[in-house]
Amino acid sequence: MAILAVNAGSSSLKFSLHPLQGGQVQPHVLSGNIQGLEPGGAPAMGWTYLGKRHQEALAVPAGTAPFVAALDSLRALVQKLEAAPDIEAVAHRVVHGGGVFTESVLVTEEVLERLACFNSLAPLHQPHNLEGIRRFQAAFPQLPQIACFDTAFHATMPEVDYAFALPKALQEEGVRRYGFHGLSYQYIMGMLLEHTLRGRGRVVMAHLGNGASLCAALAGSSVATTMGFSALDGLMMGTRSGSLDAGVLLYLMEQGWTHAQMEKLLYKQSGLLGVSGISADMRTLRASDSPDAERAILQFTHRVIRESGALMACLGGLDVLAFSGGIGENDAVLREQVCNRLAWTGLRIDEERNRNADGKAAYAIHAPDSRVEIWVIPTDEGRVAAREAAQLLQTLKAGGQATPSLAPASVA
């Protein structure tokens, strides 16, 4: 038996297959990504199985949606595996669960309708996550579809952190800080608890990639994070602005900007791409000699340092700093610059260990005399989603409840 973990985007589908042994979820034996699923695209599937990388273009029969053809190819791929496992459930990463879904749930039509209420809070992700679930329901009607939420890990945040300074009526409607990247933080925290006793202390985790955020955890639970009501808040990102004075939006409205124009600006034209005018990819900017590329990198790094300090203040100090995400796992220069600027905490990075971190396994990069431990933790959101699905299936088999009682639809 195995759990298939998936993350559906607007034009791509990430997947990983996790065997179950003795009821425990194992590391994936198959992982990959299908690109080019937009209308008129040229779908291609790349996957890794038993350490070997494969790539192939996917044929799309006339009259067939690219996503449907992709699922047919994925099913055929799994069936061709040596000792192909039976898929017990599909675990879906869903970005936003609002204030309702604080743990994984079995998907029903009522659940999908409620989750659609959060589309405007995560327009780059939520609608595509839900469309992916519907596609899998049609392609694998016999399998339970389980939604696993990026917001759930932050359900432990205290009100003083999640509440905005707005009238109470708006908070009761659900206008509050939720936080994201929860599946990643859940994995990072689990790995820290396995590798160091300090993981139970004051921890700042940095998920740095095209989407970027920080999370402060105490005794293994989230107490503060940089992302808020939507996935726009906090750090500067690949194409997203991060924290922005609301007065800027009022100014743009006065200049005649429409909702659609502002949404495109904030989600797709800002961040590293907007500042550099070159790329949202940190690797491309590192290779560039453009002053604007350097400015974008410096600004990104500064935001990480600044927000790290704020989270440390919330924690009353720091025991562990952990880097993850595409940038956090692979950009040794950024890690060194951030750590050097945070040296006032007693944190000391080991430059050689930092250079040797390859992003393949949990790896300590702090110097022997550092008062704060520093770790690079390659994240695995798929494995967390698979674990969540397996636990929910066990609950269902024991006669437990699969979904929460749902009140009338709102963002609350």
Side-chain angles (χ1 to χ4, degrees), residues 75-361:
R75 177 170 36 223
L77 174 61
V78 172
Q79 291 172 346
K80 288 190 298 184
L81 298 179
E82 182 179 350
D86 292 328
I87 298 176
E88 190 168 359
V90 182
H92 296 263
R93 180 199 179 200
V94 177
V95 166
H96 215 305
V100 178
F101 300 100
T102 57
E103 56 186 18
S104 299
V105 297
L106 179 68
V107 174
T108 64
E109 188 60 34
E110 186 179 11
V111 167
L112 285 174
E113 290 177 1
R114 187 59 181 270
L115 289 174
C117 296
F118 311 132
N119 283 354
S120 62
L121 307 189
L124 292 188
H125 305 92
Q126 190 85 352
H128 308 300
N129 296 160
L130 303 188
E131 179 62 21
I133 292 176
R134 292 192 181 279
R135 295 286 192 182
F136 271 90
Q137 284 178 323
F140 300 88
Q142 78 283 7
L143 294 180
Q145 308 292 322
I146 295 172
C148 309
F149 302 101
D150 255 345
T151 49
F153 183 74
H154 303 293
T156 54
M157 289 194 302
E159 182 179 6
V160 70
D161 193 81
Y162 72 67
F164 292 130
L166 293 171
K168 186 176 180 181
L170 286 173
Q171 181 174 322
E172 291 174 346
E173 290 179 18
V175 180
R176 48 157 288 182
R177 184 181 302 278
Y178 291 100
F180 299 91
H181 292 136
L183 294 177
S184 178
Y185 289 131
Q186 188 173 338
Y187 182 83
I188 298 166
M189 180 53 62
M191 293 299 291
L192 288 173
L193 293 175
E194 284 185 21
H195 285 82
T196 173
L197 293 175
R198 290 197 180 186
R200 299 294 299 176
R202 302 163 297 181
V203 177
V204 169
M205 297 175 281
H207 179 107
L208 307 177
N210 190 52
S213 69
L214 302 177
C215 174
L218 189 63
S221 298
S222 173
V223 296
T225 187
T226 55
M227 278 187 171
F229 178 66
S230 72
L232 276 174
D233 202 10
L235 302 180
M236 175 180 173
M237 304 176 222
T239 62
R240 282 170 268 174
S241 63
S243 295
L244 190 69
D245 183 344
V248 174
L249 303 185
L250 296 177
Y251 168 78
L252 294 178
M253 291 174 64
E254 292 172 355
Q255 302 304 309
W257 284 56
T258 65
H259 177 280
Q261 288 175 316
M262 289 191 291
E263 182 177 89
K264 185 176 182 180
L265 169 71
L266 298 177
Y267 278 99
K268 298 183 178 181
Q269 297 177 330
S270 299
L272 289 172
L273 175 63
V275 175
S276 71
I278 297 171
S279 176
D281 192 317
M282 181 66 82
R283 294 167 298 185
T284 301
L285 299 182
R286 288 282 186 206
S288 174
D289 57 3
S290 165
D292 289 333
E294 182 180 5
R295 187 164 62 93
I297 294 171
L298 289 173
Q299 194 168 332
F300 182 93
T301 306
H302 175 75
R303 293 299 302 180
V304 174
I305 295 164
R306 175 173 169 164
E307 297 302 322
S308 294
L311 293 187
M312 289 179 209
C314 292
L315 292 170
L318 187 65
D319 297 305
V320 180
L321 174 63
F323 292 93
S324 193
I327 298 174
E329 295 167 22
N330 297 295
D331 194 325
V333 175
L334 179 132
R335 293 194 301 262
E336 182 176 354
Q337 290 174 341
V338 169
C339 290
N340 286 342
R341 287 285 300 278
L342 297 177
W344 55 270
T345 64
L347 180 156
R348 299 288 184 273
I349 193 169
D350 184 310
E351 294 182 3
E352 182 177 358
R353 292 187 65 83
N354 182 44
R355 290 192 300 269
N356 291 339
D358 59 9
K360 295 180 180 179

Side-chain angles (χ1 to χ4, degrees), residues 321 323 339 347-349 363-366 372-376:
L321 174 63
F323 292 93
C339 290
L347 180 156
R348 299 288 184 273
I349 193 169
Y363 191 74
I365 60 172
H366 48 273
V372 177
E373 292 188 3
I374 314 167
W375 288 81
V376 179

Side-chain angles (χ1 to χ4, degrees), residues 22-24 389-400:
Q24 299 298 311
Q391 291 170 4
L392 182 58
L393 290 177
Q394 291 177 357
T395 300
L396 293 175
K397 291 174 182 177

Side-chain angles (χ1 to χ4, degrees), residues 20-31:
L20 293 171
Q21 293 181 5
Q24 299 298 311
V25 172
Q26 304 301 309
H28 62 74
V29 294
L30 169 73
S31 65

